[in-house]
Amino acid sequence: MDETLPAGLMRGADGRIRCWWQQGLDDYARYHDAEWGRPVTDDTRLFEKICLEGFQSGLSWLTILRKRENFRAAFAGFDIDRVAAFTEANIERCVADAGIVRHRGKIVSTVNNARRAQELRAEFGTLAAYFWAHEPGPADRPLVCDHATLSRMATSPASLAISKDLKKRGWTFVGPTTVYAFLQAMGLVNDHVEGCSVRQEVEAIRASFVRPARP
C-alpha cells in the first residue's frame, strides 16, 4: 500500500485511488472499477455470482475471476433453467473440465441451487426481488466504511439472515461469509473504502437506483 494514503487504499499507475484488494492488477482493477459494488438486478448475473462465490470458498476471488469465462461456458452461461436441467453426464463433463474448479460437491451444488432458484422465482417473481428485499438499511451499516471496519466484517446481519433462509430452502454452499461477499459484489451494500475513487460514483448510482418490487 501507498504509505501516503490511509490503510485500505492504493494508487494505481493511472493515478486513480482504489480499494486495496485489487492489488494493482489490471484485470482486478477493471473488475473493481466496473463491476464490484454496482447494483445488479439481472437474475442470471445474481445466480452466477452466488454460485461463483460458492466456488471461491477456500480460494481467492482472483482465481475465480480469471476462470469466469470458463465457468460460463461450462454452466450454460448460468442460465437458471438450463443449469437446472443438467444431468449426471453434464456434471461429469464439468468435473473433467480443467478450465474450472473441479470440485464435485460445488458442481453438484450449482445444479441443485439452479433448481432452488427456480422455486424462488416461482415464489417471488425474480431472484432480484428476493435478494433486494434483504438489502440492509442505514441502521445496519457502519457509520464509516474504512479498512479497519471492513476487516472485521466477514458477515453481517443480512448475510446471516439470507444464508439461514437459503439453507432452509435447500440451497448449499451459501454460508454467511459467502453471502456477504455476494452482497458486496452485487451492490446491495457499498463497501468501497472511504477515499476510493469509485465509492461516490457507486453511492450516486445507488441513490437513483430503482429497487425491484418487494414481494
Side-chain angles (χ1 to χ4, degrees):
M1 295 185 188
D2 187 335
E3 292 183 0
T4 65
L5 294 172
L9 295 171
M10 288 183 65
R11 191 185 308 276
D14 58 0
R16 294 194 74 183
I17 297 172
R18 299 179 173 90
C19 301
W20 81 99
W21 52 261
Q22 47 76 41
Q23 301 172 35
L25 302 171
D26 287 346
D27 52 354
Y28 222 2
R30 285 193 298 272
Y31 173 75
H32 168 277
D33 291 358
E35 294 188 52
W36 196 78
R38 295 173 183 266
V40 173
T41 57
D42 179 79
D43 277 8
T44 300
R45 285 190 61 197
L46 292 167
F47 177 66
E48 173 187 271
K49 185 60 175 173
I50 197 77
C51 292
L52 291 182
E53 288 295 349
F55 273 101
Q56 181 194 346
S57 180
L59 303 169
S60 73
W61 173 246
L62 184 59
T63 297
I64 302 302
L65 179 64
R66 288 177 171 173
K67 293 177 179 287
R68 185 165 63 173
E69 291 305 320
N70 296 333
F71 275 106
R72 287 171 173 169
F75 288 102
F78 287 95
D79 180 281
I80 293 170
D81 293 329
R82 292 178 67 187
V83 177
F86 270 24
T87 64
E88 189 61 33
N90 295 122
I91 291 171
E92 291 303 324
R93 171 183 54 78
C94 291
V95 171
D97 188 342
I100 66 170
V101 174
R102 296 186 293 176
H103 185 294
R104 180 181 293 275
K106 294 176 181 179
I107 292 167
V108 170
S109 173
T110 301
V111 178
N112 169 74
N113 290 350
R115 295 166 184 168
R116 305 292 77 79
Q118 288 179 318
E119 295 166 356
L120 265 187
R121 286 193 310 188
E123 181 177 350
F124 292 91
T126 62
L127 289 189
Y130 171 80
F131 283 118
W132 281 94
H134 291 83
E135 179 186 10
D140 297 319
R141 297 290 296 147
L143 294 176
V144 177
C145 187
D146 58 14
H147 182 258
T149 301
L150 289 183
S151 296
R152 298 191 297 269
M153 288 182 60
T155 65
S156 71
S159 78
L160 288 162
I162 295 171
S163 174
K164 182 178 180 180
D165 188 61
L166 289 177
K167 288 178 180 179
K168 187 184 300 183
R169 294 171 180 274
W171 290 63
T172 51
F173 284 94
V174 286
T177 300
T178 293
V179 172
Y180 190 65
F182 167 83
L183 298 180
Q184 291 176 304
M186 295 290 95
L188 283 91
V189 298
N190 180 7
D191 275 355
H192 283 281
V193 177
E194 299 284 354
C196 169
S197 61
V198 179
R199 180 173 174 80
Q200 291 307 314
E201 181 182 350
V202 170
E203 278 296 288
I205 293 170
R206 284 177 50 79
S208 60
F209 172 66
V210 178
R211 273 69 174 166
R214 289 176 177 262

